[in-house]
């Protein structure tokens, strides 16, 4: 073959190679999943060395795809310190000075947990005069009760009667109550304490009038480091704004009984999506807008990675024109049209319809009552005004937070198509002048 022909053949081959690189590949998807959700990473526990390895992996991939460190950063990793309280001795709960046997702390550090126990029907809690200590009657689920209590300044201590619900919670905690924590240097959010009492102890307390209750929680501070991985694809127009594509790389790690929680769906699938979007969008070359790719640490223990990122963004937040968080796209929801994903808070802004208009397989959230819009990392930025949503496959998948959330139980073909459907719409948005906007009443207050 002549040299000229060879060159022509080579040129044709390289023209074909570009679109192939911009294709999401089932092999890449499986490769990332297999590493991130493999036994070796031990479930990527929040703010653990396993999480740091996951972040280092994502960072190395970003570099390999040709992404740069984000503006102002000299590498691909952003670290943050989390200060958490840990129980150092058993709690004590007293009523009129006498210890109450069998009391189990679910959550809280006991701050302000002293006062006369006021008998309170759960449903009437919001209507009752404030009292620091409430003895709760009624069968409201603990999580709902906790959310309700958090929305008030009082009570500081809720005492509840043991039930199947509380037994399941206690089992899930493996003897480690949820004590509050926070990013170093930032004030800890005040949170109420919840204590479960054995039925007999609860009934005895309820029968006493005006029992004075006091809770002591002996705790010490522990410090752990969480890691965000950040990659940057610069745009050609610095004034055009920036897109942020994100997921969380941590999961539940190793449980007290040694069970590894692999988190293939939650959220190795989202991290894989961010990696494949980074690879394909980088292969498509420079767009008008820059794109930040971020895998957050420590989502599962309180969204610390995204909160830290929101407080220390490499570009000012008002330059971020949209954030798409990808969370749990490893399975598709039988409630949704085949092949589609849901976007939380879809109707709150124009982002969902813009992406859908360009072919993204997204639709509205069929579970508004679950408040998913508020329950993922997108919310840290949405609260600060950024148009930020989460895309999910099946938000109420049966393997959620179970040991069965493994690579064997995710749908690689669905994931591949779902991620592929986002490439062109995101590339179009990166090249557009149009800015996604909140609709009236859509912006969280
Ligand atoms: Zn999770």
């Amino acid at each position: 073959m002549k040299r000229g022909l060879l060159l022509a053949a080579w040129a044709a081959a390289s023209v074909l190679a570009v679109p192939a690189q911009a294709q999401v590949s089932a092999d890449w998807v499986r490769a990332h999943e297999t590493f991130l959700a493999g036994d070796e990473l031990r479930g990527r526990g929040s703010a653990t060395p396993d999480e740091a390895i996951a972040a280092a992996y994502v960072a190395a991939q970003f570099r390999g795809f040709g992404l740069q460190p984000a503006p102002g950063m000299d590498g691909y990793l952003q670290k943050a310190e989390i200060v958490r309280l840990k129980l150092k001795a058993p709690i004590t709960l007293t009523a009129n000075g006498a210890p109450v046997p069998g009391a189990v702390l679910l959550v809280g550090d006991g701050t302000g947990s002293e006062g006369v126990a006021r008998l309170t029907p759960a449903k009437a809690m919001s209507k009752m005069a404030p009292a620091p200590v409430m003895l709760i009657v009624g069968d409201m689920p603990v999580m709902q009760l906790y959310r309700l209590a958090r929305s008030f300044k009082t009570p500081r201590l809720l005492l509840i009667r043991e039930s199947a619900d509380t037994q399941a919670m206690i089992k899930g905690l493996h003897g480690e109550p949820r004590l509050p924590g926070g990013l170093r240097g930032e004030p800890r959010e005040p949170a109420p304490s919840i204590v479960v009492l054995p039925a007999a102890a609860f009934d005895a307390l309820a029968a006493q009038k005006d029992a004075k209750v006091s809770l002591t929680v002996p705790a010490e501070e522990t410090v752990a480091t969480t890691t965000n991985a950040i990659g940057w694809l610069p745009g050609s127009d610095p004034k055009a704004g920036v897109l942020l594509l994100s997921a969380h790389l941590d999961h539940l790690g190793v449980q007290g009984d040694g069970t590894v929680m692999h988190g293939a769906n939650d959220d190795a699938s989202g991290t894989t999506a961010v990696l494949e979007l980074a690879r394909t969008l980088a292969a498509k070359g420079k767009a008008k807008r820059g794109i930040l790719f971020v895998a957050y640490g420590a989502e599962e223990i309180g969204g610390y990675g995204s909160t830290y990122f929101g407080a220390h963004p490499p570009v000012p937040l008002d330059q971020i024109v949209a954030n798409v968080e990808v969370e749990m796209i490893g399975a598709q929801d039988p409630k949704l049209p085949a092949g589609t994903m849901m976007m939380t808070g879809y109707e709150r802004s124009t982002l969902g319809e813009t992406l859908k208009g360009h072919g993204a397989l997204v639709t509205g959230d069929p579970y508004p009552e679950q408040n998913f819009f508020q329950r993922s990392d997108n919310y840290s930025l949405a609260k600060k005004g950024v148009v930020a949503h989460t895309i999910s496959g099946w938000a109420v998948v049966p393997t959620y937070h179970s040991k069965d959330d493994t690579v064997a139980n995710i749908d690689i073909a669905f994931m591949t198509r779902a991620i592929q459907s986002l490439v062109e719409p995101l590339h179009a948005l990166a090249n557009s002048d149009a800015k996604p906007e909140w609709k009236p009443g859509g912006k969280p207050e």
Side-chain angles (χ1 to χ4, degrees), residues 248 251-252 266 299-300 327-328 400-401:
H248 72 90
H251 191 59
L252 303 174
D266 180 11
E299 188 267 358
E300 298 285 3
E327 169 99 50
M328 294 171 55
Y400 174 72
H401 282 200

Side-chain angles (χ1 to χ4, degrees), residues 16-377:
L16 287 176
V18 174
Q21 281 168 10
Q23 284 285 321
V24 176
S25 135
D27 286 328
W28 276 103
V29 169
R30 186 175 289 283
H32 293 316
E33 276 285 359
T34 304
F35 179 76
L36 291 168
D39 289 340
E40 295 78 6
L41 276 197
R42 297 160 28 97
R44 311 179 306 286
S46 310
T48 64
D50 302 322
E51 181 198 78
I53 293 169
Y57 172 78
V58 172
Q61 300 291 327
F62 283 164
R63 171 170 250 166
F65 303 152
L67 302 190
Q68 297 179 10
M73 290 180 65
D74 53 10
Y76 299 83
L77 299 175
Q78 181 183 53
K79 295 197 178 266
E81 281 191 331
I82 301 168
V83 182
R84 286 199 290 170
L85 293 177
K86 207 174 167 252
L87 214 56
K88 61 174 182 188
I91 62 151
T92 28
L93 183 81
T94 60
N96 294 328
V100 180
V104 178
L105 179 69
L106 290 184
V107 60
D109 62 2
T111 305
S113 291
E114 201 172 24
V116 173
R118 173 94 50 92
L119 206 61
T120 310
K123 291 209 167 69
M125 210 164 91
S126 48
K127 295 183 204 93
M128 300 280 289
V133 180
M134 286 179 166
L135 201 58
I136 302 292
V137 287
D139 53 3
M140 189 180 281
V142 179
M143 281 312 295
Q144 201 182 332
L145 197 60
Y146 181 65
R147 260 182 246 140
L148 189 61
R150 276 191 75 157
S151 61
F152 307 114
K153 264 213 172 76
T154 51
R156 306 315 310 152
L157 172 61
L158 302 179
L159 301 169
I160 57 179
R161 195 176 196 267
E162 69 176 345
S163 66
D165 183 33
T166 64
Q167 270 157 17
M169 300 268 312
I170 291 167
K171 196 165 166 243
L173 289 170
H174 298 289
E176 295 243 4
R178 284 282 187 134
L179 267 54
L183 287 164
R184 187 190 279 288
E186 287 179 22
R188 248 202 312 269
E189 242 180 75
S193 302
I194 298 186
V195 168
V196 179
L197 298 180
F202 183 95
D203 296 341
L205 199 55
Q208 285 183 49
K209 218 179 156 347
D210 297 334
K212 199 165 176 255
V213 168
S214 174
L215 170 69
T216 312
V217 180
E220 59 194 355
E221 281 191 355
T222 60
V223 178
T225 300
T226 187
T227 313
N228 296 330
I230 305 177
W232 170 236
L233 185 61
S236 59
D237 179 357
K239 289 196 180 69
V242 168
L243 299 184
L244 169 63
L245 307 180
S246 56
H248 72 90
L249 53 78
D250 64 309
H251 191 59
L252 303 174
V254 183
Q255 299 295 286
D257 62 0
T259 305
V260 174
M261 305 293 272
H262 292 84
N265 192 15
D266 180 11
D267 188 26
S269 70
T271 306
T272 295
V274 168
L275 285 168
E276 274 298 82
L277 291 171
R279 187 178 66 77
T280 52
L281 290 168
K284 289 178 86 69
K286 224 175 223 187
K288 217 181 258 181
R289 288 174 167 146
I291 309 179
L292 272 173
F293 299 89
V294 183
Y296 299 119
E299 188 267 358
E300 298 285 3
I301 58 169
Y304 293 119
S306 61
T307 303
Y308 186 86
F309 177 89
H312 305 88
V315 303
L317 288 186
D318 60 7
Q319 287 184 19
I320 299 179
V321 299
N323 170 213
V324 174
E325 168 87 10
V326 188
E327 169 99 50
M328 294 171 55
I329 56 159
Q332 59 180 318
D333 191 335
K335 241 180 151 173
L336 295 176
T340 59
M341 303 173 281
M342 65 169 224
M343 179 184 268
T344 65
Y346 185 89
E347 63 299 325
R348 286 172 174 264
S349 84
T350 59
L351 180 62
E353 59 203 35
T354 301
L355 295 177
K356 192 174 182 172
H358 282 89
L361 295 170
V362 291
T363 186
D365 170 3
Y367 310 98
E369 74 288 352
Q370 293 257 20
N371 297 314
F372 284 126
F373 179 74
Q374 287 89 335
R375 281 171 56 189
S376 186
D377 278 328

